[in-house]
Amino acid sequence: MSEAVLRVALVDDQALMRAGFRALLDAEDGIEVVGEAADGEQGVALVRAEVPDIALVDVQMPVMTGIEATRRIASDPALAAVRVVILTNYGLDEYVFEALRAGASGFLLKDTEPADLLQAIEVVARGEALLSPKVTRTLIGEFVARPPDRATAPGLDRLTRREREVTALAARGLSNEEIAAHMVISPLTAKTHISRAMTKLGARDRAQLVVFAYESGLVEPRRR
């Protein structure tokens, strides 16, 4: 990581939860909490005012849900550099999938260990999706077994054959190294194909690429 200070916004309707996160983050060198918000509407206003690197957003809040707040942040060109991480008590539920569709870069359980929270912030700040291959597989298995909605996922024709292949493998939960081994290419080449696919599709990160693959019908969930 660079020595630049990572700026984090906290958006959660539980004051005790915000206080806990703030205490943990404020104790870390290189991280600054730029503000707190108690509902989604306040959260969007906070993010627009401060333009933090990371916004930790609770999924269920009064006034405006975390999903709608995420959607507004992700759709604002002025906030393109902001990465939203959804906070949830519920694990891999359909709220998480909806949040990813709305533009979140990943999610964390609220009972995440402190060290894991700090690592997660670093991962997202680097522009990576906070979805390990294992979590991606679980998410896919649970919540995308539905007919593809090609109307909401245009752009498949923009991808080359290789880019479609790496996108499909990423959607199956493979890491860049696993994709490289499968396709008999270097990890750097796999990463380049992934990056080009994301650029062509306007995907903010790998999580968005996975959602696209399923919504476009490029990959179909395995039936149980």
Side-chain angles (χ1 to χ4, degrees):
M1 283 193 58
S2 67
E3 295 182 358
V5 174
L6 287 175
R7 305 173 72 252
V8 179
L10 301 176
V11 185
D12 194 305
D13 62 322
Q14 296 180 315
L16 187 60
M17 188 63 65
R18 295 198 309 272
F21 279 124
R22 178 182 275 276
L24 174 64
L25 298 177
D26 279 344
E28 288 295 310
D29 293 333
I31 297 179
E32 175 190 2
V33 177
V34 298
E36 301 179 21
D39 61 54
E41 188 172 69
Q42 291 179 11
V44 172
L46 171 63
V47 170
R48 285 175 175 161
E50 297 292 342
V51 194
D53 300 297
I54 307 289
L56 298 180
V57 179
D58 185 21
V59 71
Q60 289 187 303
M61 292 182 291
V63 184
M64 181 189 296
T65 67
I67 293 172
E68 179 59 27
T70 297
R71 185 175 292 111
R72 296 193 185 192
I73 292 168
S75 64
D76 188 337
L79 305 177
V82 178
R83 294 291 175 260
V84 176
V85 175
I86 290 291
L87 300 171
T88 175
N89 287 318
Y90 308 104
L92 289 168
D93 59 20
E94 60 185 297
Y95 292 115
V96 171
F97 184 68
E98 292 302 316
L100 293 175
R101 292 181 66 188
S105 293
F107 70 95
L108 282 171
L109 294 176
K110 287 189 175 182
D111 61 358
T112 295
E113 292 293 326
D116 292 337
L117 170 64
L118 297 173
Q119 182 183 27
I121 288 174
E122 292 186 8
V123 166
V124 175
R126 290 197 299 265
E128 300 175 21
L130 187 56
L131 286 173
S132 69
K134 180 180 178 181
V135 169
T136 302
R137 293 185 188 109
T138 305
L139 183 68
I140 288 165
E142 292 292 332
F143 301 113
V144 299
R146 61 190 73 183
D149 184 358
R150 290 171 176 82
T152 65
L156 191 60
D157 57 345
R158 301 176 198 164
L159 303 185
T160 66
R161 180 181 61 82
R162 283 299 227 186
E163 289 163 356
R164 290 189 190 197
E165 188 174 357
V166 297
T167 297
L169 291 171
R172 289 294 186 199
L174 274 65
S175 66
N176 286 348
E177 290 72 20
E178 291 169 331
I179 291 172
H182 182 90
M183 297 178 64
V184 196
I185 57 178
S186 72
L188 179 59
T189 300
K191 182 178 180 179
T192 298
H193 285 314
I194 290 286
S195 296
R196 287 175 177 169
M198 287 170 54
T199 298
K200 289 181 179 180
L201 297 171
R204 289 166 65 91
D205 53 33
R206 197 183 189 97
Q208 298 300 296
L209 199 63
V210 170
V211 171
F212 167 84
Y214 282 88
E215 291 195 327
S216 67
L218 178 62
V219 174
E220 294 184 1
R222 295 185 179 91
R223 300 302 175 188
R224 294 183 179 179

